[in-house]
Amino acid sequence: MGTKLGNLKAEARNLARAGQLLPALAAHVHMLGHNPLDGDSRRKVADLLAALGDRAGAVEVYRAVAMHDIRSGHLPPAIVSCKVLVALGENVDDLVAAMAAAYAHGSRALAKFVARQAPVDLDSELAPPDPAAFVDSAALVAAARSRALDFSAFQQYPDRTLPVPFFSELPRKLFPAAIEMLRLVRADDGDLVIRQGEPGKAFYFVATGEVRVFAHLPSRPEPVERAHLHEGALFGEMALYSEQPRTASVAVVGEADLLEIGRDAVSRLCAEVPALAERIDKFARERVLRNLLTTSPLFKPFDHKQQMDLMKRFEGHQVDPGTTLIREGQVGQGLFVILLGEVEVTKQDPEGERPLARLGPGDLFGEMSLLTDAPTTATVRALSPTTILFLGRPYFHRLVSAIPALRAYFEDLARIRHQSS
Ligand code: CMP
């Protein structure tokens, strides 16, 4: 009976975690025998050789695997190997030069479309490793080295590779400094890399493995799953872009190698490469909007094109902390949606100003007076630098008269808010 590759990998991971390094190594040698295109097992062999004290073997495998990753289009895992090699006291100038030549801005090796090797199929079945296959640890270590160094299954490397977000914006001369600025974070299952609500001091690239992004929204009891991210993906950029607390939490699934870059390092690179700053801003803005479109009830009744049309009706505003967006007792000007940041809702009582609520990303306000045509019932002030979208009164009215489901939604929201004010 065969076992799924994904399960064998999980078993090998558990063995390594439990300090059973030789059985873990045997498992990877076995998997690599069946799947010579599996870069992950090759890197694991290097990690296990290092952990077993075979420094020379580990260095040889990390080097070969890094060069292979560079040539086959996998820059982030190649950076991981470089970081480990540096920690082992090795000089990696040659590898960094090869990375810069292949991936830096303007490299002729970059192309928009290239054929990429399909990822290994984790559902494919193979026989479980034979426990008697390696009774002799020296023989196992030797077999692991030679298997991880055998690249004969690769007939030909592609002439071109795809640009890698962020890195392929960097000019060649900045590449070594940028690689040096990265810190390798080797994280395990369930590790929380980013915690929602905390300040952001860095962002991350997924180099190997997987992370899961999830957010707690004030309006929902359960966390919302935002995404699962894999090799090459970037996360944690939103807090840097907006100078706001983290908008979501990010946890490791299985295990992951992450490359962390601090806020100051990013600022230094952006000062030298303005295109990089623009890219990061655009990327963060698009993610914020995508999150709004996928979670806000306001956009739910529409298909993608209609959502885009509606989005165009909104004006975007960036406001400073303390800015009053709505003043109690006035005519409602329109509907507000919070993209980033936080606002406080207060009501004037005979005893003074009474706080009613705090609202955050995805929340709406301003709907009550628009529905009733009565004066605004509370004051809303920005608590932090806040990005809002504003929809003028006439558009709001057109929207709710065209879409009864939206009117019902706003009426429910207004009723609940009215009851708790
Ligand atoms: P930040 O708010 O700094 O920290 C949490 C990160 O989760 C956030 O930056 C984004 O990088 C990431 N994130 C939020 N929403 C999504 C999404 N829909 N898809 C992928 N990543 C996301």
Side-chain angles (χ1 to χ4, degrees), residues 92-163:
V92 292
D93 290 352
D94 56 333
L95 291 171
V96 174
M99 289 177 192
Y103 295 95
H105 187 72
S107 161
R108 268 187 272 142
L110 294 176
K112 280 212 170 108
F113 303 102
V114 293
R116 278 192 79 157
Q117 178 202 315
V120 285
D121 177 7
L122 294 176
D123 285 330
S124 64
E125 301 221 344
L126 63 161
D130 173 5
F134 294 104
V135 274
D136 174 0
S137 61
L140 171 59
V141 166
R145 259 195 201 205
S146 76
R147 194 156 286 173
L149 291 170
D150 176 2
F151 291 95
S152 56
F154 295 87
Q155 308 294 337
Q156 206 185 351
Y157 286 102
D159 299 335
R160 304 283 176 96
T161 51
L162 288 174

Side-chain angles (χ1 to χ4, degrees), residues 165-245:
F166 184 90
F167 295 97
S168 296
E169 299 293 336
L170 298 171
R172 204 160 160 168
K173 68 173 183 0
L174 272 186
F175 228 81
I179 301 287
E180 213 173 307
M181 288 169 181
L182 298 167
R183 186 175 77 91
L184 173 61
V185 179
R186 311 203 86 175
D188 214 340
D189 192 36
D191 285 355
L192 209 53
V193 188
I194 283 184
R195 196 185 292 271
Q196 185 176 355
E198 290 192 345
K201 300 191 194 77
F203 71 74
Y204 300 83
F205 302 93
V206 182
T208 70
E210 178 179 343
V211 299
R212 152 178 176 257
V213 183
F214 58 102
H216 292 271
L217 302 183
S219 47
R220 301 200 190 183
E222 297 295 319
V224 177
E225 287 286 329
R226 293 274 197 219
H228 280 243
L229 306 176
H230 301 92
E231 182 188 319
L234 185 165
F235 64 91
E237 77 297 345
M238 278 156 73
L240 294 201
Y241 150 78
S242 63
E243 300 191 10
Q244 289 292 303

Side-chain angles (χ1 to χ4, degrees), residues 13-78:
R13 202 155 58 220
N14 289 336
L15 286 169
R17 256 184 219 135
Q20 305 252 33
L21 303 180
L22 287 168
L25 186 62
H28 283 294
V29 172
H30 175 71
M31 286 186 265
L32 210 44
H34 281 79
N35 249 321
L37 303 184
D38 182 358
D40 171 59
S41 271
R42 266 179 221 276
R43 293 180 212 109
K44 286 288 180 316
V45 167
D47 288 342
L48 287 163
L49 290 177
L52 283 161
D54 178 13
R55 185 185 175 284
V59 166
E60 197 182 358
V61 176
Y62 280 126
R63 276 195 169 283
V65 173
M67 196 48 95
H68 169 75
D69 280 335
I70 295 169
R71 295 175 68 192
S72 55
H74 298 282
L75 176 67

